[in-house]
Amino acid sequence: MQSNQEDLQITICGGGNGAHLAAGYISSKPGYRVNVFTRQPQRWRPALENGLKITTKGSSWEHRGTFTGRLNRVSSNPADVIPGSKILIVAAPANAHPDILRGIAPYVDDNAWVGALYGQGGFDWAAKAAFGEKLRRLRMIFALQNIPWICKINDYGTSARVIGPKQCLWVTTYPVELLDEAAAMMARLFDIPCKTIPNFLS
């Protein structure tokens, strides 16, 4: 995919329903260069070649039609997709968070944002354990209280559908002073209003 070097690079870490929606939706919007870090990069080849289709039929977003995301790079090697990423979003079950975070930590740039699409299971603790002293060099860690949509893969690496988007998102951060910055970015990425919550236990 050809992309503008000034585009904001975002890497989605995961390969399930939420990862498909996040990667496809964000990469359909101008100004973003989206990578995917996944254990099964070969299954994403159709998305790289033909785009990742996001359908909305039957949802409250049906009037918005179909989105086609254009991915930049997909790999199981973090060295291929993590460096240069301003925002990294872990889109995987909580039991997978520690391994994913340990895998990407050596490659994450200073001042990057590292977050979870769904911040269950002590995401902040897992991030602090994975990054150690390097955590101080991140801009923030963040987590959404709930995934932005009920969603489902139609065809792996090819298409997914929005079943029900949330009406509002809720985000928390460490450090807490960056809550408003994170909320503004989440609203931009997902086109859903976003409010703040005070901590990762909320």
Side-chain angles (χ1 to χ4, degrees):
M1 172 187 171
Q2 294 295 320
S3 60
N4 190 321
Q5 290 303 309
E6 295 182 0
D7 288 350
L8 183 68
Q9 182 170 303
I10 297 174
T11 295
I12 307 300
C13 303
N17 295 317
H20 275 70
L21 250 293
Y25 185 70
I26 296 171
S27 66
S28 76
K29 295 158 58 74
Y32 302 103
R33 183 171 62 251
V34 177
N35 296 335
V36 175
F37 174 53
T38 174
R39 293 177 299 176
Q40 304 183 82
Q42 71 284 355
R43 297 185 67 190
W44 289 74
R45 185 172 297 278
L48 280 171
E49 294 176 350
N50 303 310
L52 181 56
K53 185 179 290 186
I54 305 299
T55 61
T56 60
K57 188 174 181 179
S59 77
S60 60
W61 276 10
E62 184 170 357
H63 66 285
R64 302 179 64 185
T66 296
F67 305 94
T68 300
R70 301 293 176 182
L71 302 180
N72 179 56
R73 194 175 283 180
V74 178
S75 180
S76 58
N77 183 351
D80 293 337
V81 291
I82 303 301
S85 298
K86 170 73 173 181
I87 301 175
L88 299 106
I89 301 175
V90 178
N95 65 298
H97 290 175
D99 285 345
I100 291 172
L101 290 166
R102 283 192 295 267
I104 68 174
Y107 305 93
V108 174
D109 291 356
D110 289 356
N111 212 38
W113 303 24
V114 177
L117 196 66
Y118 177 25
Q120 62 179 346
F123 180 78
D124 54 333
W125 298 334
K128 289 173 183 178
F131 282 87
E133 288 298 312
K134 188 176 180 180
L135 189 74
R136 299 179 182 180
R137 303 208 302 268
L138 300 180
R139 175 65 177 168
M140 70 174 78
I141 56 174
F142 68 92
L144 289 170
Q145 187 179 49
N146 291 296
I147 189 169
W149 340 258
I150 299 170
C151 56
K152 189 171 179 61
I153 295 168
N154 289 328
D155 186 8
Y156 197 99
T158 301
S159 66
R161 64 188 173 107
V162 176
I163 298 172
K166 296 292 190 297
Q167 293 186 337
C168 183
L169 303 178
W170 300 83
V171 71
T172 192
T173 64
Y174 174 84
V176 295
E177 291 81 7
L178 300 177
L179 281 169
D180 289 342
E181 183 179 346
M185 179 60 76
M186 295 304 105
R188 278 177 53 198
L189 293 180
F190 300 114
D191 295 313
I192 299 172
C194 186
K195 299 181 180 180
T196 63
I197 47 179
N199 56 61
F200 286 80
L201 297 175
S202 297

